[in-house]
Amino acid sequence: MKHRYYIVLVLAFVFHVQASLGQKVNDTINIPEFVVTANRSIRNIDNVPGRVTVIDAKAIQELPVQNVDELLRNIAGVYVNRSWGIFSQNSSVTMRGIDASARVLVLVDGVPLNKSAGGSINWHLISVNNIERIEVIKGPASAIYGNNAMAGVINIITKNPKKAIQGEVGLLASSYNSFGGSFNLSGTNVKKNKGFSWSINSFYRQGDGYILEPEEARDSTDVKANLMEYNISGKLAYKFNKRHKIEIGVQNYDDLRGQGRKVYEEYGDYMSVNITYFRTSYQGMINKTVLNAHIFYQIENEYKQSESISTNSGKYKLSDRESRKDDYGLWFNATTYFSDNNILTYGIDLKQGKADVTNTYITSTDVLIYSGILDFYGVFVQDELKLLNDKLNLVVGARFDYAKYYKGQLIVENPTSNTGFVTPFDEDFINSKWNSFSPKIALKYKFNKSNSAYISYSKGFMPPKLDDLSKSGKINKGFKLANPELGPEYISNYEIGFNFIFFKKLSVEPSIYYSLGKDFQYFVGTGDSVDTGGDELKPVFQRRNISDVEIIGVELSANYYLLKNLNISANYTYNQSTIKEFTKPETYDKDITGNFLIEVPKHMVNVGFGWKNKYFNTTVSYNYISSQWYDDENTIEISEYDIIDLQLSREFAKNFYVSVNIQNILDNEYVDRKGLLSPGRFITGEIKFKF
Amino acid sequence: MHGLTYRLKMKKLFPIIILLITAIWACEKEKTDYPPPTIEFITESGFVFNDTTIELGKDFKIGVKASNPNVNLTNFIIKVESDVLETYLDSGMNTPNLHFERNITKGIKEFEKWIFIIRDKDGKSSEISLNISKDSASVFGNIKYYANIEMGAQNSFVGHFYSLSEDSVHTLNSAFSNQSKIDLCYYYDFIDTDENTIASPGANIDASVYTGPSALANWTTRRTTRFKLASISESDFLNAANDSLLIATHGSSDGNRKAKNLQAGKIFAFKNEDGKIGLFKVNSITGTGAGTIDISIKIQE
């Protein structure tokens, strides 16, 4: 038994989680899956005491999506907010009743993408065509991942070549005069576990866009929010033998996205992002220890031009913002298989985040420059025990994180009322540091091959963002003051879940969780006011750790494999996320205790239908999102909406793949939190040639 | 054999990779270094364009022309330097040419240096200036005092409009018939930052405030009065016996067409379309949309 397990482990490692391991067969659902994210090395999903969802290559090809994040809409507990479709500046992916995408850790091939400056990731960086599978770990995972893994972890695993040379060329055309293309070329000469693998991927997309403002609110400055983007990436791997492998990945993404407003400038209000991403990964095995090491470097250069004219006063404003955000680090972890029943995972993570931002007000003299550095250090250990003849899986782990903020600086040159500073300002902020302890204990009991239950306690945290630590300046409702002493926020999660499989065809997965958040970061008035040049003194706001929240959630997922080529899936999510305690600053006049968290829908429903036949593979997806609050005071509500998406696809002559993808097929109109319109029905036709 | 085929295929790939890299580099843009914008005074009759002496409280006209054929002008700033340096105007634009004219009231300072700065999109700037001295023969003028004027908000039965020249409160219909005399109007706005507001008919007032055939949208003459929040005390206001405090409080720069978020005790300086400078003090406010406001006014004769 012990040897059999060891052989399986080595095989799994050698093949590096090939797609076949993660795929389900069509008509039954009792084949176990392997995941790499739950414990930072490969595990049978049946042994993971927590809620894990996998989207495999087949689903990725068949789901009616345009962007990677939209694949996650079909997972219970995940809320994807991409209200302008492909024209969205970015997407917000949140989980488990907690708003803000910075509270979800996103990895690509095990390497973190979350930026220290703003906390979130740019979802456009990843092309749908280059994904092998996505693993989603729900609930806090800071005990093993640290930063940002507060509501969950999403790991996007890219494709690896299987042939000596293979490739794919695709062309697509969509609504709003959008079109694009993709290109993939890869190959491998690995023989007897030795040799190179490589791949080059690229995609391009552009579109005229549509007018975001509802018709009744439009003026002469409203124009279409257009898009132009490209992505090129390359991967080179060398396998020394069946136990050691090194991989280098490089990527560059560039876009220009209009914001739907133009006064005088050629491109009007727009944002352009260029991201360069580099990683080197090593995977090795020494005796019974599996090693994983990643060195990564992400550089994001962003340029934003803002242009507006007031309909009341006629005042014209033009400004730009240039920023450079760097994140680099080293992640190392090892997993030692002491025995079939005792697996120890341990590691150390180092990361540094830097931000340098210059905001130039072109229609006035102000120049605002801020910068800062955040260092993170984390160590963790986790033990997995199999007890009662593998019926009981126990996971106990903990992680200690230490972070340091330094070289924080704010410079304001030639200020006017635009920035809210009355005199030039040049100040170095105080250094600050904090630490976090994140324990986890989880237990899974397998009643039989088909049915199991788990119970877990885990803690998660989100660090303060460099933007909140270093940035001061005028904002819409007043003046934002940097808070270099802002600390992390924490969440403790208690969860129970069950996995049932009935008649080998129907799987049902209910989960219930109760989370208590502490020291949540909220934007509140300090009670001070500053003269920003208007008639009135403006209130000063600052991000502070001042509220505790409570989340009660239920998730229910079901998959029914009706026939060999026909399956139905459905899931429902309920979240009641409220502010339990609000430490109101003395001079702040609003108490939001008892209010709901913003941008958390109370109810979400997803129903999916997949039918493979000799004419067209058909996938239909229905999503319902209930109403949600826009503001902390709970005075502005974003209306509920539902959409139905459809994809029809077919392969011809082995080499050709044709698909028609219709998002929001009923053309339901809904608006985002700013009152801006969704694109409505969006049709895409795509043809691919594979070789 | 397999290795050779592989190498041959790889060889074919290199031109594609090089082509892609070249295409990315080719997108880099060159930036040209253009000369700064030009700026000069308008020297036509009626304009002040040299150093001069002007009587206190009197208007004078300044005109400026600026241009840059290569890079658009984006920012025009006027600063006034006396004992301190103050910004009189800071305006955004996006145009190759600027033509600016303004009537300015001579302030209370003995000496003022008026500085005109033009900046372009590249951040380059040019400036010109002139000196204005106060005429030593200047004397302070008399003022009128109107105490406890009651005006009603839009849903009140009390009149919402006021004429400074006649010291009279008007209903909507009455104001419509006397458009050329109306300087102020009072209403309540349910937006947090606005609430109790005294505006001028020339301001951008939401159409839902005053409705019916006499609504502002149907007026043919909408006078503009501009307001600035004053930082003087109530006793300063009550003790003002001539227009010295009024001129000093108002300063040289223009204000806004609305005095928002009014509360008892707040004092605003204003200047109406006739060039009369004044102060108004809020004595009391009751209610909201159907409420009333009680103000006192001091204005140049």
Side-chain angles (χ1 to χ4, degrees):
Chain A
M1 175 67 189
K2 191 176 175 180
H3 288 293
R4 188 169 61 87
Y5 181 83
Y6 192 63
I7 290 163
V8 169
L9 168 75
V10 171
L11 280 174
F13 175 76
V14 165
F15 289 108
H16 288 285
V17 201
Q18 298 287 356
S20 57
L21 292 173
Q23 285 179 358
K24 296 167 182 174
V25 296
N26 287 328
D27 54 343
T28 62
I29 47 173
N30 58 356
I31 302 291
E33 293 183 39
F34 286 82
V35 288
V36 291
T37 313
N39 298 295
R40 292 179 68 161
S41 60
I42 191 162
R43 295 288 188 284
N44 186 323
I45 199 169
D46 280 347
N47 295 330
V48 177
R51 186 58 70 211
V52 182
T53 304
V54 177
I55 305 174
D56 60 31
K58 187 169 70 73
I60 291 166
Q61 181 164 308
E62 289 172 2
L63 282 167
V65 302
Q66 301 286 338
N67 300 280
V68 178
D69 46 283
E70 289 169 320
L71 292 165
L72 303 162
R73 277 182 178 155
N74 304 287
I75 298 176
V78 180
Y79 174 48
V80 179
N81 186 2
R82 174 181 277 281
S83 47
W84 306 350
I86 65 166
F87 305 102
S88 295
Q89 199 66 59
N90 200 354
S91 175
S92 164
V93 177
T94 57
M95 285 165 73
R96 288 289 174 103
I98 312 174
D99 63 305
S101 48
R103 290 163 176 147
V104 175
L105 176 67
V106 182
L107 314 167
V108 170
D109 293 323
V111 177
L113 278 191
N114 295 64
K115 288 163 287 184
S116 305
S120 58
I121 77 149
N122 188 321
W123 283 96
H124 300 121
L125 185 63
I126 311 144
S127 163
V128 182
N129 295 317
N130 193 28
I131 300 172
E132 184 64 49
R133 56 198 252 123
I134 300 175
E135 298 180 2
V136 179
I137 311 297
K138 298 180 197 171
S142 292
I144 198 160
Y145 281 107
N147 287 348
N148 303 98
M150 193 170 165
V153 181
I154 297 166
N155 191 8
I156 297 159
I157 295 154
T158 58
K159 284 179 179 171
N160 282 317
K162 296 176 183 72
K163 297 178 186 172
I165 190 151
Q166 64 188 74
E168 184 182 282
V169 180
L171 288 171
L172 62 86
S174 310
S175 307
Y176 302 118
N177 199 24
S178 309
F179 60 88
S182 62
F183 166 79
N184 168 280
L185 196 64
S186 59
T188 179
N189 72 345
V190 174
K191 274 180 154 185
K192 294 180 182 174
N193 288 310
K194 193 174 180 180
F196 283 99
S197 298
W198 58 272
S199 67
I200 298 169
N201 297 281
S202 179
F203 79 83
Y204 173 82
R205 187 161 57 180
Q206 73 170 63
D208 288 352
Y210 66 100
I211 297 178
L212 304 171
E213 202 71 56
E215 207 158 339
E216 63 277 10
R218 284 177 198 167
D219 60 37
S220 59
T221 64
D222 288 303
V223 294
K224 291 174 179 175
N226 61 328
L227 150 75
M228 190 173 68
E229 64 179 343
Y230 79 80
N231 190 346
I232 183 162
S233 64
K235 201 158 81 167
L236 180 68
Y238 183 72
K239 212 165 190 177
F240 298 93
N241 50 47
K242 68 179 180 182
R243 291 181 169 225
H244 298 280
K245 178 186 174 184
I246 192 162
E247 189 171 282
I248 295 169
V250 186
Q251 186 164 354
N252 184 262
Y253 171 79
D254 198 280
D255 76 356
L256 190 154
R257 284 168 193 271
Q259 302 289 289
R261 189 188 295 123
K262 180 180 184 306
V263 186
Y264 298 116
E265 288 295 305
E266 185 184 355
Y267 293 109
D269 231 12
Y270 77 93
M271 185 184 270
S272 176
V273 177
N274 184 291
I275 302 172
T276 303
Y277 169 71
F278 168 84
R279 75 175 169 91
T280 302
S281 300
Y282 163 76
Q283 292 170 306
M285 193 170 180
I286 299 168
N287 297 324
K288 291 182 178 182
T289 300
V290 174
L291 305 170
N292 276 296
H294 304 286
I295 296 170
F296 53 91
Y297 198 152
Q298 185 183 182
I299 307 162
E300 181 182 290
N301 285 297
E302 182 191 285
Y303 179 83
K304 182 174 166 48
Q305 177 173 282
S306 301
E307 188 184 31
S308 68
I309 191 159
S310 165
T311 48
N312 286 341
S313 63
K315 277 185 183 170
Y316 172 70
K317 286 185 180 178
L318 177 66
S319 65
D320 69 22
R321 188 183 69 209
E322 283 181 88
S323 64
R324 179 179 164 133
K325 290 159 187 176
D326 294 53
D327 281 279
Y328 50 90
L330 165 69
W331 274 25
F332 169 79
N333 72 279
T335 302
T336 301
Y337 296 81
F338 288 116
S339 72
D340 193 11
N341 298 322
N342 187 1
I343 306 168
L344 190 74
T345 304
Y346 45 94
I348 181 166
D349 296 339
L350 312 171
K351 186 183 169 187
Q352 185 177 79
K354 286 162 74 172
D356 287 289
V357 182
T358 301
N359 208 342
T360 306
Y361 291 74
I362 299 165
T363 46
S364 67
T365 52
D366 315 51
V367 178
L368 194 147
I369 303 160
Y370 70 87
S371 55
I373 300 176
L374 257 174
D375 285 352
F376 300 99
Y377 309 89
V379 287
F380 64 92
V381 61
Q382 176 179 282
D383 198 20
E384 296 159 67
L385 296 169
K386 290 180 187 171
L387 307 167
L388 305 178
N389 198 22
D390 199 17
K391 274 190 170 299
L392 190 69
N393 295 105
L394 172 68
V395 174
V396 182
R399 175 171 167 132
F400 180 78
D401 282 275
Y402 171 80
K404 187 179 162 190
Y405 168 70
Y406 59 103
K407 290 194 176 173
Q409 188 186 34
L410 176 69
I411 300 168
V412 183
E413 295 170 354
N414 307 313
T416 68
S417 57
N418 285 287
T419 44
F421 286 83
V422 276
T423 55
F425 185 87
D426 186 346
E427 188 175 304
D428 292 333
F429 292 129
I430 57 162
N431 297 344
S432 63
K433 54 193 174 188
W434 48 264
N435 52 59
S436 174
F437 178 69
S438 310
K440 174 185 177 175
I441 181 162
L443 201 63
K444 184 169 190 175
Y445 185 77
K446 287 175 258 184
F447 302 106
N448 50 45
K449 202 177 170 185
S450 302
N451 303 316
S452 62
Y454 71 86
I455 184 165
S456 71
Y457 163 77
S458 57
K459 202 172 164 186
F461 75 94
M462 183 185 77
K465 299 184 272 279
L466 274 169
D467 284 348
D468 291 325
L469 293 162
S470 306
K471 185 183 176 185
S472 291
K474 195 173 173 182
I475 55 173
N476 280 345
K477 55 184 179 180
F479 184 85
K480 181 191 173 184
L481 192 66
N483 183 3
E485 292 179 276
L486 185 70
E489 56 181 33
Y490 306 93
I491 199 157
S492 297
N493 182 62
Y494 306 86
E495 181 168 343
I496 184 166
F498 301 90
N499 302 302
F500 301 116
I501 297 177
F502 302 107
F503 318 115
K504 293 186 178 178
K505 285 184 180 291
L506 173 66
S507 76
V508 180
E509 296 178 349
S511 313
I512 301 167
Y513 47 90
Y514 177 73
S515 304
L516 285 171
K518 195 170 157 31
D519 295 337
F520 263 48
Q521 297 164 7
Y522 257 80
F523 211 34
V524 289
T526 60
D528 297 326
S529 301
V530 295
D531 180 1
T532 59
D535 283 344
E536 300 288 329
L537 295 176
K538 293 281 188 182
V540 176
F541 293 90
Q542 194 174 49
R543 188 82 66 183
R544 290 183 181 178
N545 302 99
I546 48 155
S547 77
D548 294 350
V549 305
E550 180 185 67
I551 298 157
I552 300 165
V554 176
E555 287 170 11
L556 178 65
S557 298
N559 275 282
Y560 186 41
Y561 289 77
L562 197 62
L563 296 168
K564 192 176 178 182
N565 295 328
L566 186 67
N567 75 289
I568 299 167
S569 64
N571 66 65
Y572 166 73
T573 307
Y574 169 83
N575 277 305
Q576 178 162 300
S577 307
T578 51
I579 295 164
K580 197 180 175 197
E581 194 176 327
F582 180 72
T583 314
K584 190 167 76 75
E586 251 177 47
T587 44
Y588 188 58
D589 60 352
K590 283 166 185 154
D591 185 357
I592 54 175
T593 305
N595 284 11
F596 292 98
L597 291 189
I598 59 166
E599 292 174 36
V600 177
K602 203 167 195 173
H603 307 279
M604 290 192 292
V605 176
N606 170 263
V607 180
F609 167 84
W611 182 32
K612 290 186 89 170
N613 58 58
K614 61 181 177 180
Y615 305 108
F616 289 106
N617 293 336
T618 307
T619 311
V620 180
S621 173
Y622 167 80
N623 276 285
Y624 166 77
I625 307 292
S626 73
S627 62
Q628 49 194 298
W629 293 107
Y630 166 65
D631 59 335
D632 295 326
E633 290 85 26
N634 287 182
T635 56
I636 305 168
E637 197 173 23
I638 307 168
S639 301
E640 62 178 1
Y641 65 91
D642 58 350
I643 49 172
I644 299 173
D645 302 333
L646 165 74
Q647 178 161 301
L648 302 171
S649 62
R650 183 174 178 176
E651 283 188 359
F652 293 94
K654 286 187 180 177
N655 294 100
F656 287 95
Y657 169 85
V658 180
S659 69
V660 175
N661 175 329
I662 309 172
Q663 291 187 316
N664 194 0
I665 198 164
L666 299 178
D667 201 19
N668 287 346
E669 190 176 275
Y670 61 94
V671 294
D672 68 1
R673 63 197 186 101
K674 292 177 182 168
L676 300 174
L677 292 170
S678 63
R681 186 185 297 118
F682 192 84
I683 304 169
T684 301
E686 185 171 21
I687 183 162
K688 283 180 184 171
F689 174 68
K690 297 178 180 182
F691 54 94
Chain B
M1 186 62 196
H2 173 267
L4 180 66
T5 314
Y6 186 77
R7 278 200 298 277
L8 284 171
K9 283 174 179 171
M10 282 295 289
K11 214 173 173 181
K12 287 176 187 171
L13 278 178
F14 283 119
I16 299 169
I17 298 164
I18 289 163
L19 208 69
L20 282 169
I21 294 166
T22 313
I24 294 162
W25 277 344
C27 294
E28 295 283 326
K29 246 182 164 181
E30 260 187 45
K31 204 171 179 182
T32 316
D33 191 25
Y34 293 111
T38 58
I39 184 167
E40 59 183 325
F41 287 116
I42 296 170
T43 54
E44 293 165 13
S45 165
F47 289 90
V48 172
F49 49 89
N50 287 319
D51 295 353
T52 189
T53 299
I54 293 171
E55 203 177 320
L56 173 69
K58 295 291 178 213
D59 283 355
F60 58 99
K61 195 174 182 183
I62 290 183
V64 160
K65 287 188 293 187
S67 68
N68 190 336
N70 303 306
V71 185
N72 271 5
L73 308 172
T74 53
N75 187 204
F76 179 53
I77 305 161
I78 303 176
K79 292 189 173 189
V80 185
E81 186 178 0
S82 49
D83 41 351
V84 290
L85 184 66
E86 287 178 336
T87 300
Y88 172 85
L89 179 80
D90 188 345
S91 178
M93 68 202 67
N94 200 328
T95 173
N97 300 298
L98 169 75
H99 183 101
F100 174 85
E101 292 179 15
R102 178 64 59 90
N103 281 314
I104 299 167
T105 308
K106 173 68 192 88
I108 205 160
K109 308 288 185 198
E110 291 296 326
F111 169 83
E112 293 166 351
K113 181 180 183 182
W114 286 74
I115 306 159
F116 302 84
I117 305 161
I118 190 74
R119 297 174 71 243
D120 65 25
K121 202 182 167 194
D122 285 349
K124 289 181 178 168
S125 64
S126 300
E127 68 175 63
I128 50 175
S129 65
L130 57 77
N131 299 319
I132 305 288
S133 303
K134 189 174 80 177
D135 190 335
S136 54
S138 297
V139 289
F140 291 116
N142 294 329
I143 57 173
K144 291 186 276 193
Y145 179 41
Y146 307 131
N148 297 106
I149 302 155
E150 190 184 30
M151 296 164 74
Q154 63 271 33
N155 300 325
S156 167
F157 294 110
V158 181
H160 329 302
F161 296 84
Y162 182 73
S163 165
L164 286 166
S165 56
E166 295 193 338
D167 179 26
S168 55
V169 175
H170 296 258
T171 61
L172 180 59
N173 290 338
S174 163
F176 184 76
S177 308
N178 294 279
Q179 295 170 24
S180 59
K181 297 172 188 168
I182 303 297
D183 301 288
L184 309 178
C185 57
Y186 169 62
Y187 64 92
Y188 185 87
D189 195 318
F190 287 88
I191 297 169
D192 270 3
T193 51
D194 291 11
E195 295 187 341
N196 291 286
T197 302
I198 284 182
S200 56
N204 189 346
I205 298 169
D206 195 277
S208 63
V209 176
Y210 305 113
T211 55
S214 302
L216 286 172
N218 301 323
W219 289 30
T220 51
T221 307
R222 294 173 67 170
R223 286 163 63 84
T224 297
T225 305
R226 292 184 177 272
F227 308 89
K228 291 163 76 177
L229 183 66
S231 52
I232 58 170
S233 67
E234 289 188 49
S235 59
D236 287 342
F237 174 83
L238 293 171
N239 292 334
N242 56 38
D243 66 358
S244 64
L245 181 71
L246 280 60
I247 294 167
T249 306
H250 185 269
S252 302
S253 65
D254 286 340
N256 298 321
R257 292 177 296 179
K258 292 178 184 174
K260 299 174 184 175
N261 209 3
L262 299 174
Q263 291 162 11
K266 277 192 176 180
I267 298 167
F268 278 79
F270 63 83
K271 186 178 178 182
N272 75 353
E273 205 162 291
D274 302 328
K276 299 284 184 194
I277 293 170
L279 296 170
F280 80 77
K281 178 173 81 73
V282 180
N283 301 317
S284 65
I285 297 174
T286 55
T288 55
T292 58
I293 190 167
D294 186 303
I295 60 171
S296 295
I297 293 175
K298 290 195 172 180
I299 186 170
Q300 288 177 318
E301 271 188 0

